[in-house]
């Protein structure tokens, strides 16, 4: 028979492992579904070198801060997301080169609804995939086996 403190310790360890697995899953979703779109379609106009409307989309902090129109996303609030309004072509029409696929929009909805996970170790996004350094790749090792590669959207 296990003591109460041992049982509690086992339960806490189990809950922590579930939370870690969930975090890894959300971060992997960001790396495979969200990051490539942001890099290919957004940060050319809303990144380090250019910020149309005072908006940067190359880090979570910048997204939460927003631009001239306000915060771009509110974690967990799909209905209050200016980013979703823009990619759905409900207000702004972003990207201006053409609307994203319905599936891509659904992935952004899922990402925001789940809390907009952005790996803490993730560097700011770069519009030039060749600018991804070996340090960037190394910082991703061990996180769901996802490494940033050249994005194709």
């Amino acid at each position: 028979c296990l003591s109460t403190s041992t049982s509690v310790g086992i339960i806490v360890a189990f809950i922590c492992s579930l939370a870690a697995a969930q975090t890894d899953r959300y971060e992997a979703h960001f790396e495979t579904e969200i990051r490539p779109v942001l890099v290919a379609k957004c940060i050319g106009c809303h990144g380090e070198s250019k910020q149309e409307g005072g908006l940067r989309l190359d880090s979570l902090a910048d997204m939460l801060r927003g631009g001239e129109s306000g915060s771009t996303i509110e974690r967990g609030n799909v209905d209050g997301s200016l980013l979703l309004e823009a990619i759905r072509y409900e207000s702004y029409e972003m990207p201006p080169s053409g609307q994203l696929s319905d599936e891509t929009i659904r992935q952004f909805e899922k990402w925001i609804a789940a809390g907009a996970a952005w790996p803490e170790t993730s560097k700011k996004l770069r519009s030039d995939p060749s600018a991804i350094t070996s340090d960037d790749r190394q910082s991703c090792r061990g996180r769901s086996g996802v490494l940033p590669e050249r994005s194709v959207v």
Side-chain angles (χ1 to χ4, degrees):
C1 213
L2 296 174
S3 71
T4 302
S5 62
T6 302
S7 297
V8 169
I10 291 171
I11 291 169
V12 168
F14 176 72
I15 291 171
C16 288
S17 69
L18 288 177
Q22 187 80 338
T23 298
D24 286 348
R25 191 181 78 180
Y26 289 143
E27 289 180 356
H29 179 254
F30 170 81
E31 295 292 354
T32 58
E33 303 296 335
I34 305 304
R35 175 190 292 271
V37 178
L38 291 173
V39 169
K41 301 290 187 177
C42 304
I43 65 171
C45 296
H46 302 287
E48 184 176 16
S49 60
K50 186 177 180 182
Q51 300 88 42
E52 289 190 12
L55 176 63
R56 289 184 70 163
L57 299 175
D58 56 342
S59 75
L60 181 60
D62 290 324
M63 283 188 154
L64 294 171
R65 186 175 3 313
E68 294 169 4
S69 299
S71 180
T72 311
I73 61 170
E74 183 179 324
R75 289 175 143 181
N77 183 1
V78 174
D79 296 328
S81 169
L82 290 177
L83 177 66
L84 288 178
E85 283 183 23
I87 65 174
R88 290 175 182 151
Y89 279 41
E90 294 173 351
S91 58
Y92 298 100
E93 294 184 357
M94 297 294 155
S97 61
Q99 190 170 12
L100 300 174
S101 71
D102 290 343
E103 178 58 27
T104 299
I105 293 170
R106 276 192 293 279
Q107 294 302 325
F108 273 85
E109 291 168 349
K110 179 179 173 183
W111 176 63
I112 291 169
W118 192 300
E120 288 182 24
T121 58
S122 184
K123 308 262 183 187
K124 287 196 178 246
L125 304 181
R126 295 181 176 93
S127 59
D128 179 6
S130 66
I132 296 172
T133 67
S134 60
D135 287 343
D136 294 332
R137 291 180 191 283
Q138 189 61 36
S139 74
C140 292
R141 296 210 188 276
R143 285 191 295 117
S144 307
V146 178
L147 299 176
E149 296 293 339
R150 292 181 184 250
S151 302
V152 178
V153 178

